[in-house]
């Protein structure tokens, strides 16, 4: 939706205040709201543009993945699904066709209605400005706003399931279709329709029917969203995973335009568990080596600061040695003014006498004392930064030694964690990533050695992230690499 329609809708509420004028203050309130809407419009447009850019960047990043050509995974269509009784592979087509009999929200015009679709979990709720709502578990899709008491949208959306174990999801997920009336920047409740995910497969044939609008089931009947009027016309179809002809037939049944799609793997995929299992192994070794690098840099920085204070202290010490003064003058204090005599210091009276002028010896004594204090300060700072330098050196040596020990076992631990998370199918590729840790740091600590170790660990981790992206993309295309916890091996037996 463009910015001009958004501007018009933002200005509609002040207009309603003028049309419903019930007090002399309402025109002033309407004018104030107009000014506020116009002031906020540039920020709203900029935020919407930023969201679009971020989403586009996410989509581009998501599509980047590295897939080894030798990776062979079972495909959904080749599986004996009889061995996967809790599996759910398919795409649910939902088309928002139209609505009728809607409650009229504004007496001076018809509704500006939209159809909103999302999967929600009926077990949990969340707070919203409009009250309690069921917790969403998918992307939210909306049709454009259409005016009239019987709006027609003809927009469709897909929700794909590629799950080896979907019992909990299909039992507790609900497709929530909300009809909303858009008024300025607000969306007002008109009613809901609910389809249980457990019933999705019953729509194996394309079905178009009217659903009575209900109240929000997350609220009781006394709430303003607890009741509704009218019906919403939906087209529903369950298609086999990857069956584009079925989805096209559903869209063509009523002339729908498909406007969005989402999918879930019910967290059965290896890509959901690989990184959480492997990250602690990588993170510990990297943290130790990065700590060694930082401690080494701190040591160098403290050494430079210590040297500066030491040089200043030596210069001041030499000056003090070449400019000795009498012992009693080392403690000389600048004298204050004498007591003010009577009949002095008042109005129309002579001023009180000031402090006596200092002799050359006294002036030099004060300079000598300043130099002595500066020497003592620089000497203290020299000792402090020398202590910090030694502590940083010890910290660097310890972190480097611990990091070397961790790196010696990192590759093996990565493989063991990967096998635990996903089984043997991923082991060769995680081994290949671990092989990027090729040169173990040796000898005494040096910043360059620790930084090289960090670079090797980062290269190995980038390979693991690339492989995770590969598994993610392959699963979305029907090639399954499940987590070890998700499914028994015989469920992936190929016919």
């Amino acid at each position: 939706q463009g910015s001009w329609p958004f501007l018009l809708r933002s200005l509609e509420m002040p207009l309603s205040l003028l049309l419903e004028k019930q007090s002399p203050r309402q025109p002033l309130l309407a004018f104030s709201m107009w000014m506020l809407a116009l002031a906020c419009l540039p920020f709203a447009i900029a935020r919407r543009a930023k969201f679009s850019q971020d989403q586009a960047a996410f989509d581009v990043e998501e599509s980047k993945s590295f897939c080894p050509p030798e990776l062979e995974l079972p495909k959904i269509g080749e599986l004996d699904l009889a061995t996967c009784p809790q599996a759910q592979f398919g795409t649910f087509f939902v088309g928002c066709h139209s609505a009728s009999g809607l409650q009229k929200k504004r007496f001076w015009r018809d509704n500006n209605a939209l159809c909103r679709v999302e999967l929600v979990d009926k077990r949990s709720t969340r707070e919203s400005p409009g009250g309690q709502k069921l917790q969403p578990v998918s992307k939210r899709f909306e049709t454009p706003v259409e005016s009239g008491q019987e709006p027609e949208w003809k927009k469709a959306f897909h929700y794909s399931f590629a799950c080896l174990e979907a019992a909990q999801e299909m039992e507790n997920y609900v497709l929530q279709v909300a009809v909303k009336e858009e008024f300025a920047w607000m969306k007002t409740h008109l009613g809901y329709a609910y389809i249980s995910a457990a019933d999705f497969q019953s729509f194996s044939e394309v079905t178009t029917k009217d659903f009575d609008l209900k109240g929000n089931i997350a609220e009781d009947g006394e709430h303003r969203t607890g009741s509704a009027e009218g019906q919403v016309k939906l087209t529903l179809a369950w298609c086999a995973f990857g069956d584009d002809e079925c989805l096209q037939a559903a869209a063509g049944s009523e002339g729908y335009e498909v406007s969005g799609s989402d999918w879930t793997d019910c967290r059965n995929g290896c890509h959901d568990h690989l990184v959480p299992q492997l990250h602690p192994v990588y993170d510990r070794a990297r943290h130790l080596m990065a700590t060694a690098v930082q401690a080494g840099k701190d040591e160098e920085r403290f050494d430079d600061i210590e040297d500066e204070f030491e040089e200043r202290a030596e210069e001041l010490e030499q000056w003090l040695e070449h400019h000795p003064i009498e012992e009693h003058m080392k403690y000389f204090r600048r004298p204050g003014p004498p007591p003010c005599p009577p009949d002095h210091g008042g109005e129309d009276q002579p001023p009180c006498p000031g402090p006596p002028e200092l002799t050359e010896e006294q002036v030099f004594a004060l300079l000598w004392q300043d130099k002595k204090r500066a020497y003592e300060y620089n000497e203290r700072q020299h000792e402090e930064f020398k202590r910090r330098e030694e502590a940083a050196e010890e910290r660097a040596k310890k972190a480097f030694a611990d990091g070397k020990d961790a790196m010696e076992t990192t590759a093996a631990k990565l493989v063991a964690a990967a096998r635990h998370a996903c089984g043997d199918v991923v082991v060769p590729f995680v081994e290949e990533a671990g092989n990027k840790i090729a040169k173990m740091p040796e000898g005494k600590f040096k910043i360059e050695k620790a930084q090289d170790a960090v670079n090797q660990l980062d290269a190995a981790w980038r390979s693991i992230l690339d492989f995770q992206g590969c598994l993610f993309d392959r699963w979305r295309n029907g090639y399954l690499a499940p987590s070890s916890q998700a499914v028994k091996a015989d469920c992936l037996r190929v016919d």
Side-chain angles (χ1 to χ4, degrees):
Q1 298 172 9
S3 57
W4 285 113
F6 176 78
L7 173 61
L8 295 175
R9 290 194 300 276
S10 298
L11 299 178
E12 186 178 24
M13 182 178 284
L15 178 61
S16 71
L17 290 173
L18 292 176
L19 292 175
E20 295 177 348
K21 185 168 68 174
Q22 297 175 359
S23 75
R25 293 185 178 181
Q26 281 189 309
L28 179 60
L29 178 59
F31 177 77
S32 301
M33 294 183 71
W34 261 323
M35 294 300 99
L36 179 62
L38 288 173
C40 293
L41 180 62
F43 298 100
I45 294 174
R47 184 174 180 180
R48 183 174 296 184
K50 180 67 166 57
F51 174 79
S52 300
Q53 293 173 0
D54 291 346
Q55 186 63 40
F58 173 79
D59 292 340
V60 170
E61 187 65 28
E62 186 179 273
S63 66
K64 296 178 180 178
S65 67
F66 166 75
C67 274
E70 63 272 24
L71 178 64
E72 294 184 0
L73 300 173
K75 192 173 183 180
I76 290 174
E78 302 169 347
L79 299 179
D80 178 9
L81 295 183
T83 64
C84 305
Q86 296 186 1
Q88 196 75 277
F89 298 110
T91 300
F92 192 62
F93 175 98
V94 53
C96 290
H97 185 280
S98 57
S100 59
L102 300 176
Q103 179 186 5
K104 191 172 182 178
K105 290 290 184 180
R106 319 293 164 196
F107 75 88
W108 66 91
R109 64 154 173 80
D110 290 336
N111 288 327
N112 286 331
L114 59 86
C115 181
R116 175 188 290 171
V117 179
E118 62 186 327
L119 282 173
V120 294
D121 190 334
K122 64 184 182 182
R123 296 170 297 181
S124 57
T125 60
R126 62 181 177 88
E127 287 283 350
S128 76
Q132 292 287 329
K133 300 289 179 65
L134 293 179
Q135 186 67 38
V137 292
S138 72
K139 290 181 182 177
R140 172 186 290 177
F141 299 112
E142 288 184 356
T143 68
V145 171
E146 295 293 341
S147 298
Q149 292 309 105
E150 296 190 358
E152 184 177 279
W153 305 289
K154 289 192 174 181
K155 301 294 182 184
F157 313 99
H158 298 164
Y159 288 98
S160 294
F161 290 81
C163 304
L164 288 164
E165 291 186 344
Q168 282 194 342
E169 284 73 11
M170 304 313 285
E171 178 183 347
N172 296 298
Y173 286 4
V174 175
L175 181 73
Q176 177 179 272
V177 180
V179 180
K180 299 279 186 177
E181 204 278 332
E182 188 167 83
F183 177 52
W185 53 83
M186 300 184 300
K187 294 181 174 69
T188 307
H189 156 85
L190 288 173
Y192 294 86
Y194 298 95
I195 298 97
S196 172
D199 297 332
F200 284 177
Q201 290 194 11
S202 66
F203 296 96
S204 56
E205 300 290 334
V206 178
T207 303
T208 301
K209 60 181 292 188
D210 291 323
F211 289 82
D212 291 332
L213 291 174
K214 303 177 181 179
N216 176 11
I217 62 175
E219 293 282 3
D220 57 44
E222 300 298 322
H223 192 266
R224 65 177 182 81
T225 63
S227 60
E229 298 176 8
Q231 295 180 317
V232 61
K233 187 176 183 178
L234 304 174
T235 297
L236 307 173
W238 176 263
C239 298
F241 192 88
D243 189 347
D244 292 335
E245 290 184 4
C246 173
L247 295 173
Q248 291 170 5
S253 65
E254 296 286 345
Y256 286 101
E257 177 187 348
V258 178
S259 299
S261 63
D262 194 16
W263 80 292
T264 180
D265 63 358
C266 304
R267 291 194 59 79
N268 294 162
C270 171
H271 52 270
D272 293 310
H273 302 270
L274 188 67
V275 165
Q277 288 282 340
L278 271 58
H279 190 264
V281 178
Y282 152 79
D283 187 58
R284 180 174 183 274
R286 191 191 190 283
H287 171 74
L288 290 168
M289 283 302 180
T291 299
V293 171
Q294 185 58 54
K297 292 179 179 179
D298 289 343
E299 178 191 355
E300 291 182 347
R301 182 165 59 89
F302 293 149
D303 180 54
D304 292 340
I305 297 173
E306 179 226 339
D307 289 344
E308 291 180 11
F309 282 116
E310 185 179 24
E311 289 176 7
R312 292 177 198 162
E314 288 176 352
E315 291 174 1
L316 290 164
E317 186 179 29
Q318 290 178 5
W319 189 93
L320 293 170
E321 289 177 355
H322 287 86
H323 299 83
I325 61 174
E326 296 291 335
E327 185 68 21
H328 71 280
M329 295 302 293
K330 294 178 182 179
Y331 310 101
F332 170 74
R333 294 290 178 266
R334 183 188 298 272
C340 189
D343 301 327
H344 284 69
E347 189 176 354
D348 298 329
Q349 292 180 343
C352 296
E357 291 188 9
L358 301 178
T359 65
E360 289 186 7
E361 182 184 23
Q362 291 172 332
V363 170
F364 187 79
L366 293 175
L367 173 64
W368 190 93
Q369 291 173 15
D370 287 340
K371 295 284 189 180
K372 179 69 180 300
R373 283 191 294 270
Y375 161 73
E376 291 172 346
Y377 168 78
N378 282 274
E379 187 64 23
R380 286 195 304 270
Q381 293 298 101
H382 158 62
E383 294 296 330
E384 170 62 20
F385 281 95
K386 182 177 181 181
R387 181 191 65 78
R388 295 189 189 185
E389 175 195 357
E390 291 172 351
E393 181 182 11
E394 289 301 314
R395 191 165 65 251
K397 288 179 178 178
K398 184 178 186 309
F400 185 66
D402 292 344
K404 287 197 296 183
D405 292 341
M407 284 189 66
E408 288 178 358
T409 59
T410 292
K413 287 182 176 178
L414 288 174
V415 169
R419 181 178 282 112
H420 176 73
C422 303
D424 292 333
V425 68
V426 301
V427 166
F429 310 103
V430 175
E431 283 180 340
E432 184 177 344
N435 289 339
K436 295 186 182 295
I437 309 173
K439 182 182 177 183
M440 291 295 171
E442 298 177 354
K444 295 182 178 180
F445 166 73
K446 288 187 177 296
I447 292 178
E448 295 76 12
K449 293 180 181 179
Q451 185 60 58
D452 182 59
V454 170
N455 294 340
Q456 290 186 63
L457 288 164
D458 286 345
W461 189 246
R462 282 194 298 270
S463 294
I464 290 171
L465 292 179
D466 286 341
F467 183 58
Q468 181 202 32
C470 158
L471 296 177
F472 177 80
D473 284 348
R474 296 298 290 273
W475 191 291
R476 293 192 66 169
N477 286 285
Y479 293 88
L480 307 183
S483 67
S484 299
Q485 296 84 1
V487 67
K488 295 179 180 178
D490 58 355
C491 190
L492 292 180
R493 189 179 76 246
V494 176
D495 290 338

